[in-house]
Each structure stands twice: as C-alpha cells, then as structure tokens.
Amino acid sequence: MAQLDFNVEKIEPVILHGSDALTQRDLMSPYVWKVRGRHPYAMMVRAVPKMGEEGDTGTIWYASSKDGLTFTATDTPALVPGPAVEDAGGCEDPTVVALPDGSYVVYYTGVDAARAHGELLYATGPSMDRLEKRGVAMASTPSQGNVKEATVDRTQQGGWRLFYEYAAHNASLIGLATAPGAAGPWHHDRQPFAPRSDAWDDFHLSTGPLLTDDKAQPVMFYNGATQDARWRIGWIAFDAEYTRITDRCIEPLIAPPPSPNRMDTDIAFAASVVLEDGRIWLYFSRADRALFRATIRRFSS
C-alpha cells in the first residue's frame, strides 16, 4: 500500500452571492460536488445567525458556480427547520449523495426545538428544490448520542459505508455504519479510528470528506481537536473496505491562522472535497462563519 503525504498549495476564500436572508448570516459546512451543465459545481451550505443573534441553528441552501470559487444561491433555502420536532430548532451539516438516476439523498443534522439534541436525518428528491424530508437516518443510542455529520461512500465491492460523529464521555468521536443502499437502513458497525494521546487530535474527532479516486486506498480529511475544542484538519487513509488504517498524518494539514485573542473561535473544519484535473480542492469553514477552498497536492511513495 502506498505511503501518502499532502501539502497545501494555496487557500482562497469562497464567495457566495444571494439574498439578504442568506448573506446576512454566517456560513459553514460547504458541501461541494460536480454536476453537468454551464455551472459544473454545486454546493449545499449551512447558514446560521451571526454570533449573538437569536434564531435557528441553521438553514441549508443550494448554490451553483462556474469556477468552484464564486457561487450564486437560490432565492430560498432547500431545507428549513420543522415542522417535525426532530429538526424544529435547525438544519445543519449537509452531505449530498448523487444517485445514478439523477436523484439525491441529502443527509443533514436536525436539532430539536430546545437546542438540546441533534439527530442524523435525511431527505430525498429529484432536485434540490424538490427535497422531501424522510426522518431519522440513524438513531442515537445510549452509548452514542447526538449522531450527526454524515460521510458516505460505496466501496469497491459495492457495500455502503457511513461515517458519523457521535458524543460519548464529553467528547466527539467517529463511528461507522453499513447499509445495502445509499439511503440505508444503516446499522452501527464499529469505531474506525480513535483520538491519539499527546497529539493535536487527542480528544475530539469529527468526520470529514473522502477522497476516493483511488478506491483501493480512500482518504478521509477528518477534523480533530484537543479537549478545549481547537479544531484542525488532518487526513487518514484506509484499505478498500475500510477495515483497517493504512496511513495517517502526524501534524494537521490545515489550521486557522493565529489570533491575538486566545478567546477567539479557533476552528478549521473540513466539509467536502472535489478532484479537478488532478488538483484536490478541499472546502472548509473557518471560525464557524466563513468558507474557504484549499488546493492540495498529493505525494505517494
């Protein structure tokens, strides 16, 4: 199995045009994928009230782009809170699975009205303006609470895998589930990897996007943090069926720029990856309020 390394060549801000209902909010969780047409890049993104303002914990919008850097959103969001109780407080963390027939499965986090609990939900539809909510994709358990943040892939042998974040012992961790199809039903499997002691990811872990152009060695750009929740982006590689780890970064790949105020939100959080003419574009949010695209080069030996 090839030994890997990745370097960041440049980081650029992602620009999003749209109505005031979108642009007056903070932006995070940019899920970008490629489509056909004059605007070959599509994005689902979470918009949240600016820090200190009251309201829901998120609405999810659809946008498109010619260059993968400047996007234009639709006039109304694709997913909004309610009326069901499981997402009455907000809709967060979109993950899109495009099916061969042109339809979509969209996984997202639903937050209850009390803002006390999150659950992994899903919607389906022929297009982003015709999504129908389907309810809980995979329920939390007594040992795995607040299941959310889906990352989905189909393996070389045709099985489906869903990585998810869950809460346990005051930490965020990553679990793995299997299913016969892209929309489930999903069944808890195991913890695919764990925090590392004395490292930048020694306490919290959260799912990130998968780079799957080499199906024999898929790579996840995951999110990790210390106990004080200073999140950075790293990478980890697996075998073809996600049964074992084949390689893992030592240092984070992306970290927020230093801030003179230690109390500032210190977060870089990966959301999606696009492969374009050999270039790896990693989309992420910084400080839970702004979107960026990193161009990454892969090395192997």
Side-chain angles (χ1 to χ4, degrees):
M1 194 70 67
Q3 297 298 299
L4 300 174
D5 202 3
F6 297 88
N7 285 342
V8 176
E9 294 186 336
K10 61 180 176 180
I11 293 176
E12 303 165 280
V14 173
I15 307 301
L16 182 58
H17 299 295
S19 66
D20 287 348
L22 173 62
T23 59
Q24 296 305 307
R25 288 185 162 214
D26 287 335
L27 303 172
M28 53 195 300
S29 305
Y31 191 92
V32 179
W33 73 103
K34 295 174 73 171
V35 296
R36 294 180 179 179
R38 293 191 310 111
H39 297 80
Y41 305 97
M43 177 170 67
M44 294 283 269
V45 63
R46 174 187 171 193
V48 300
K50 290 188 178 297
M51 192 172 297
E53 296 180 358
E54 295 184 356
D56 54 63
T57 69
T59 54
I60 295 175
W61 296 71
Y62 174 77
S64 59
S65 170
K66 290 184 177 181
D67 63 2
L69 203 58
T70 299
F71 288 80
T72 300
T74 53
D75 292 335
T76 57
L79 291 170
V80 297
V85 296
E86 59 258 28
D87 68 356
C91 299
E92 308 176 357
D93 316 323
T95 295
V96 178
V97 181
L99 300 179
D101 64 0
S103 64
Y104 295 95
V105 179
V106 179
Y107 290 95
Y108 69 101
T109 304
V111 178
D112 66 7
R115 316 292 199 271
H117 180 76
E119 201 76 82
L120 184 60
L121 310 179
Y122 76 112
T124 63
S127 60
M128 291 301 155
D129 60 348
R130 297 169 61 190
L131 294 174
E132 293 187 23
K133 295 180 181 180
R134 302 298 186 184
V136 176
M138 190 173 64
S140 301
T141 69
S143 61
Q144 296 187 348
N146 291 327
V147 170
K148 60 180 184 176
E149 296 272 8
T151 296
V152 181
D153 185 38
R154 192 175 191 185
T155 71
Q156 271 188 330
Q157 296 183 12
W160 288 88
R161 302 291 185 270
L162 183 146
F163 293 85
Y164 58 91
E165 179 191 319
Y166 67 92
H169 309 297
N170 297 315
S172 296
L173 298 171
I174 293 176
L176 178 64
T178 61
W186 296 101
H187 302 285
H188 297 275
D189 188 291
R190 57 190 166 80
Q191 185 181 20
F193 62 101
R196 298 175 292 187
S197 60
D198 301 320
W200 60 275
D201 53 0
D202 66 358
F203 196 81
H204 296 291
L205 295 174
S206 184
T207 53
L210 286 164
L211 179 66
T212 59
D213 58 320
D214 180 1
K215 296 296 286 187
Q217 193 176 29
V219 175
M220 176 182 283
F221 294 100
Y222 72 94
N223 303 294
T226 49
Q227 188 168 0
D228 57 354
R230 300 184 182 279
W231 289 90
R232 279 89 177 97
I233 300 168
W235 61 267
I236 187 167
F238 301 92
D239 68 348
E241 298 300 311
Y242 298 101
T243 58
R244 64 184 178 89
I245 297 167
T246 61
D247 207 349
R248 188 172 180 176
C249 67
I250 298 173
E251 297 296 331
L253 181 67
I254 296 176
S259 172
N261 185 355
R262 179 72 176 169
M263 300 307 293
D264 282 350
T265 304
D266 189 12
I267 294 174
F269 215 83
S272 58
V273 66
V274 170
L275 194 64
E276 181 62 53
D277 294 330
R279 296 169 296 175
I280 300 168
W281 288 345
L282 179 65
Y283 291 86
F284 67 100
S285 57
R286 187 186 289 167
D288 287 347
R289 66 171 65 101
L291 311 180
F292 293 86
R293 185 184 76 184
T295 299
I296 296 172
R297 176 175 294 184
R298 171 175 44 196
F299 302 88
S300 60
S301 60

